[in-house]
Amino acid sequence: MSDQEIVRRESLGKLRELGIEPYPAASYPVDTYAADIRINYSPENHPMDDVTLAGRLMSVRVMGKASFAEIQDSSGRMQIYVNRDEICPGEDKTMYNDVFKKLLDIGDFIGVKGRVFLTQTGEVTVHVVSLTLLSKTIHPLPIVKVDADGNAHDAFTDPELRYRQRYVDLVVNPEVRQAFVQRSKMIQVMRDFMVSKGYLEVETPILQPIYGGALAKPFKTHHNTLDMTLYLRIANELYLKRLIVGGFDGVFEFAKNFRNEGMSRFHNPEFTAMELYVAYKDCFWMMDFYEEMIEEVAIALHGSTKFQVGDKEIDFKRPWKRFTMLEAIKEFTGVDITGMDEDQLRKAARELHVPIDETMGKGKLIDEIFGTHAEPKLIQPTFITDYPVEMSPLAKKHRDHEGLVERFEVVCNAKEIANAFTELNDPIDQRQRFEEQLALGKRGDTESMVLDEDFLRSLEYGMPPTAGIGVGIDRLAMIMTNSASIQDVIFFPQMRPEKKIAAE
RNA sequence: GAUCUCGUAGCUCAGUUGGUUAGAGCAUUUGACUUUUAAUCAAAGGGUCAUGGGUUCGAAUCCCAUCGAGAUCACCA
């Protein structure tokens, strides 16, 4: 235990000796937030003579019998003025001299009641009439100080500590809270948008006997009573389509998916995807739908379709640029791969210095060329359409072009932020596609799909023509909040266990 | 999984070519100041230099291994 922790435990005892409970049980009648005061207070037009607010004590400047301090609530900080003879009207000055000056620490939760005034320097301040300790902190909070020039001192910046102790990060770094508030708002706008169209928010299994709906490696677990292997879902696509079979016109789910793959600033083992399926629509309808929804998100968060992300300005104003995949490859490499067979593609990929291996089929080769040369250059939101059939086993064959499917992805800031198809509803074609995937699996591709007989049976009962889309919520949140790492938009990103705590 | 970088006080960081007892600011404690402040002044306490081994008369510093983190790459959303 550090010195500071020992001192705080001692303070705790002294408070109890003075008859002050450091962890009182009663509700505290908060009626005002710091931001309310900052926004609404005006000495002439809107005096605030009786406010009660609560929060953490974040700084204290003692000057004899008068002190200035700051308390931080969920809306921000507010300066308070504490005068000895006002909080201690009688002879006993213990409350000020001992409790306030010595036994309170930065980080403690306190409640104050008082009147708002302007100091000589013009700062809005609460003149405290009574002060209540609400919860004592015994672990020192790292204090970020900002000097007169706006420079931060002692910022709490170590990424490991920030993610492991997110609660501390949230207390001392206000912009962190902001990113999460925006993330939540983004999801809310999307949800409202879809609900307003009449679509139903649903929940589907996370524990699945057969994983499907995406190309990825799953987490495996075991159910004891059933004595069977279950997989944590990698996607919810096949379940949502079963619901379309069942007669819903539109269903969506914000789903936690789990993929047992590498971690990076773009990948967390568990992540959130939103998938939406709408009956009697196709992927071209979905393009318009998505564009409109995301434009609305941008406006809700930034008041504009245009905002800064890293060193780029991104504009979500409709309409977005649309490329077929082959057009995009031609645009950024100068090579037209239209009509090439597998060997020709392999040769073209080598010439373009695209990393490839022998397990790759025609679809993966095209995808690699696109991923290496086109995707990194797509900063503004862009639709990429017409994917090869080999890499899209759940998408309907293109109505006009042999070998392609009706599919689009949206690429923005060099990352995919949506993936959509006109869904394959021909049960015989779907069975063949699964079988091709099985063949790829035998060839050594560890991410090929497995055959889901129950899903095929549902298609055999008949699924209406359907458009479906999947949206990477974390990726989209990174762009919308201008975050460089996925860990900045996930409260508790996955990390290795903390050695010290595990040992205790 | 590969490569590179990093790990020093509660927090942010110095620490020279390997050389006395490892430093600073903030935070903490004590004292001063009894005041409408924007890091008030003074003093003090605080360290398994990530962990373990090695080289050396001597290691925070050089070498090896391990643990943890970050960046880039691979896989992927």
Side-chain angles (χ1 to χ4, degrees):
Chain A
M1 225 188 296
S2 73
D3 260 21
Q4 295 184 47
E5 289 169 81
I6 293 165
V7 167
R8 286 173 187 222
R9 276 165 217 266
E10 286 168 3
S11 300
L12 209 58
K14 287 180 196 159
L15 285 164
R16 288 205 166 104
E17 281 169 30
L18 289 168
I20 296 168
E21 171 51 48
Y23 303 101
S27 300
Y28 188 78
V30 175
D31 62 16
T32 310
Y33 292 106
D36 295 341
I37 299 174
R38 270 202 310 277
I39 293 163
N40 297 321
Y41 175 71
S42 152
E44 299 82 26
N45 304 324
H46 196 286
M48 300 171 98
D49 289 333
D50 186 11
V51 296
T52 304
L53 61 167
R56 279 187 197 269
L57 194 58
M58 295 304 281
S59 72
V60 181
R61 297 181 292 277
V62 176
M63 282 146 301
K65 65 176 183 181
S67 296
F68 284 89
E70 280 179 304
I71 69 172
Q72 173 173 302
D73 67 16
S74 63
S75 74
R77 290 194 185 187
M78 175 54 49
Q79 176 166 276
I80 61 174
Y81 170 71
V82 180
N83 182 293
R84 184 187 67 193
D85 297 322
E86 290 195 60
I87 64 164
C88 305
E91 285 303 301
D92 181 5
K93 305 298 183 190
T94 309
M95 187 64 193
Y96 184 77
N97 287 340
D98 294 334
V99 177
F100 180 75
K101 278 168 69 174
K102 292 184 180 156
L103 301 179
L104 288 190
D105 289 294
I106 285 170
D108 289 353
F109 283 90
I110 59 168
V112 297
K113 196 171 148 52
R115 64 174 191 278
V116 183
F117 75 112
L118 284 177
T119 63
Q120 286 181 356
T121 52
E123 178 153 347
V124 179
T125 302
V126 174
H127 188 131
V128 175
V129 177
S130 79
L131 184 149
T132 311
L133 175 61
L134 299 176
S135 181
K136 180 101 191 106
T137 169
I138 58 171
H139 204 114
L141 209 53
I143 290 304
V144 182
K145 294 209 163 186
V146 180
D147 66 21
D149 302 325
N151 303 310
H153 297 263
D154 301 338
F156 182 70
T157 52
D158 182 341
E160 179 175 357
L161 288 172
R162 285 188 47 217
Y163 303 142
R164 285 196 196 283
Q165 302 184 33
R166 181 68 87 183
Y167 37 89
V168 176
D169 193 27
L170 286 163
V171 172
V172 304
N173 294 325
E175 70 284 0
V176 173
R177 163 188 288 272
Q178 183 57 22
F180 286 101
V181 170
Q182 287 203 314
R183 179 191 167 118
S184 174
K185 193 169 178 184
M186 173 184 103
I187 291 171
Q188 199 58 49
V189 169
M190 292 173 73
R191 173 176 284 128
D192 290 348
F193 187 83
M194 291 184 285
V195 168
S196 76
K197 305 284 181 190
Y199 307 144
L200 186 72
E201 182 166 17
V202 299
E203 291 171 274
T204 62
I206 291 171
L207 289 173
Q208 304 180 348
I210 294 174
Y211 60 95
L215 304 166
K217 291 178 210 141
F219 283 92
K220 202 172 170 178
T221 187
H222 183 261
H223 190 281
N224 290 341
T225 303
L226 296 173
D227 189 23
M228 70 184 289
T229 297
L230 290 170
Y231 299 93
L232 271 62
R233 76 171 158 212
I234 57 172
N236 54 355
E237 170 152 0
L238 302 186
Y239 283 96
L240 292 177
K241 284 189 200 170
R242 284 171 170 98
L243 296 179
I244 297 294
V245 169
F248 291 107
D249 280 328
V251 288
F252 69 92
E253 179 177 17
F254 287 90
K256 270 294 180 73
N257 291 341
F258 304 83
R259 298 192 184 173
N260 208 343
E261 294 169 347
M263 288 166 61
S264 75
R265 70 192 177 95
F266 293 104
H267 302 86
N268 196 57
E270 58 181 287
F271 65 99
T272 306
M274 193 289 295
E275 294 198 30
L276 165 71
Y277 293 82
V278 183
Y280 312 115
K281 304 295 186 191
D282 63 15
C283 74
F284 300 102
W285 173 88
M286 188 62 90
M287 287 166 109
D288 296 334
F289 180 91
Y290 183 72
E291 224 176 21
E292 190 183 341
M293 179 167 70
I294 299 306
E295 188 189 62
E296 199 159 294
V297 168
I299 292 168
L301 265 52
H302 298 278
S304 162
T305 56
K306 211 187 286 188
F307 56 91
Q308 196 73 20
V309 178
D311 54 3
K312 316 246 172 29
E313 187 179 64
I314 296 186
D315 191 349
F316 285 93
K317 182 150 188 63
R318 291 182 287 162
W320 304 342
K321 195 180 272 182
R322 298 182 183 196
F323 272 133
T324 67
M325 190 171 231
L326 299 188
E327 280 169 1
I329 289 172
K330 196 175 167 191
E331 168 93 12
F332 293 106
T333 66
V335 179
D336 189 353
I337 59 168
T338 311
M340 285 187 180
D341 64 22
E342 190 171 319
D343 288 339
Q344 289 171 310
L345 281 170
R346 203 172 293 275
K347 185 160 164 280
R350 281 205 198 90
E351 280 164 8
L352 290 165
H353 307 291
V354 175
I356 55 169
D357 66 61
E358 291 312 305
T359 68
M360 288 178 179
K362 200 173 154 185
K364 271 229 156 175
L365 288 168
I366 295 173
D367 193 39
E368 283 300 322
I369 297 172
F370 175 79
T372 307
H373 291 287
E375 199 173 60
K377 298 188 181 94
L378 294 168
I379 303 303
Q380 299 305 321
T382 307
F383 287 105
I384 303 295
T385 61
D386 294 3
Y387 282 67
V389 64
E390 293 85 350
M391 52 187 287
S392 313
L394 300 167
K396 189 177 277 194
K397 282 182 179 150
H398 200 287
R399 63 192 77 176
D400 298 323
H401 301 290
E402 186 70 21
L404 299 179
V405 289
E406 299 212 347
R407 171 178 177 181
F408 71 83
E409 288 193 3
V410 179
V411 179
C412 179
N413 207 24
K415 285 284 163 191
E416 177 199 325
I417 56 165
N419 181 16
F421 326 130
T422 303
E423 300 297 334
L424 177 55
N425 62 346
D426 175 341
I428 293 168
D429 189 0
Q430 183 67 80
R431 182 176 293 277
Q432 279 171 5
R433 303 281 195 93
F434 275 138
E435 278 163 4
E436 282 158 19
Q437 286 292 310
L438 291 179
L440 277 179
K442 287 197 183 116
R443 197 167 154 180
D445 189 336
T446 54
E447 291 169 357
S448 58
M449 289 186 187
V450 293
L451 193 142
D452 186 334
E453 279 294 348
D454 178 69
F455 172 66
L456 285 171
R457 179 169 60 193
S458 76
L459 291 191
E460 287 168 9
Y461 277 105
M463 181 172 87
T466 299
I469 190 167
V471 180
I473 292 296
D474 309 284
R475 294 274 178 85
L476 187 59
M478 284 171 69
I479 292 172
M480 290 292 169
T481 63
N482 187 17
S483 299
S485 167
I486 199 166
Q487 297 172 110
D488 293 327
V489 296
I490 294 176
F491 274 125
F492 303 104
Q494 196 56 247
M495 300 192 83
R496 285 204 162 75
E498 204 174 348
K499 222 175 146 196
K500 272 185 217 154
I501 286 188
E504 275 165 12

